[in-house]
């Protein structure tokens, strides 16, 4: 079991990393399209098309994992019901 101090450190790390990722993505997807193409700030961000492609791929992957899990649980549950004999 993780102690309380470690829980706080892990939570703070996760919060900081997710807030940083959110800020980076927000700047990339919402602000950078309005910055001139020749501006040196564009060197820190990938092409804008990836601002759409990456979240869509991650969403599809996540949904695939969730629905596969649900299907396996339903199949296993149905197999367990068939194994039970009615009196």
């Amino acid at each position: 079991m993780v102690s309380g101090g470690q829980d706080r450190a892990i939570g703070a790390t996760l919060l900081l990393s997710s807030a940083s990722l959110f800020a980076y993505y927000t700047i990339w997807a919402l602000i950078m399209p309005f910055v001139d193409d020749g501006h040196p700030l564009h060197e820190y961000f990938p092409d804008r098309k990836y601002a759409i492609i990456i979240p869509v791929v991650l969403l599809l992957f996540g949904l695939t994992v969730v629905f596969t899990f649900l299907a396996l649980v339903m199949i296993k549950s149905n197999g367990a019901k068939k194994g039970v004999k009615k009196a």
Side-chain angles (χ1 to χ4, degrees):
M1 189 76 183
V2 180
S3 68
Q6 284 180 324
D7 283 345
R8 291 179 64 103
I10 291 170
T13 303
L14 289 174
L15 181 64
L16 181 64
S17 62
S18 62
S20 300
L21 184 63
F22 176 76
Y24 180 82
Y25 182 78
T26 302
I27 292 169
W28 177 28
L30 298 178
I31 296 175
M32 290 309 293
F34 300 108
V35 177
D36 292 334
D37 287 333
H39 199 277
L41 195 58
H42 279 284
E43 295 175 11
Y44 298 106
F45 298 96
D47 193 18
R48 282 187 293 236
K49 69 179 180 180
Y50 295 115
I52 301 299
I53 293 173
I54 292 172
V56 167
V57 168
L58 289 175
L59 180 66
L60 289 175
F61 177 74
L63 287 174
T64 302
V65 169
V66 167
F67 286 124
T68 301
F69 173 75
L70 289 174
L72 291 174
V73 167
M74 289 172 58
I75 289 170
K76 187 175 180 179
S77 173
N78 194 18
K81 286 181 182 178
K82 286 183 180 179
V84 175
K85 294 184 180 182
K86 294 182 180 179

